[in-house]
Amino acid sequence: MGPPAPTRLDALAAVSVALCLLVAYRLAPSPTVQYAAWLAIFCVWMAWFVAFGARWLYAE
């Protein structure tokens, strides 16, 4: 069984990461904002990773 098909949550995670990077490097480029953006990206990635893994492991 292969990985599950992408859903709206996958797209939402990708868009939120892109938005964090846009804010951190184009709209408000300061080290504090960049650090906060990378922390937020890490949190989004971890939530996505757990949700994707759960869908993959427990898909029917």
Side-chain angles (χ1 to χ4, degrees):
M1 179 187 251
T7 63
R8 289 189 310 188
L9 283 177
D10 299 324
L12 181 62
V15 167
S16 65
V17 166
L19 185 61
C20 281
L21 290 173
L22 175 73
V23 168
Y25 287 94
R26 293 291 181 204
L27 300 179
S30 75
T32 304
V33 174
Q34 291 170 357
Y35 184 78
W38 282 107
L39 284 176
I41 288 168
F42 177 75
C43 291
V44 167
W45 178 78
M46 287 303 296
W48 172 85
F49 184 76
V50 169
F52 188 81
R55 278 191 321 213
W56 196 343
L57 287 174
Y58 303 115
E60 294 183 16

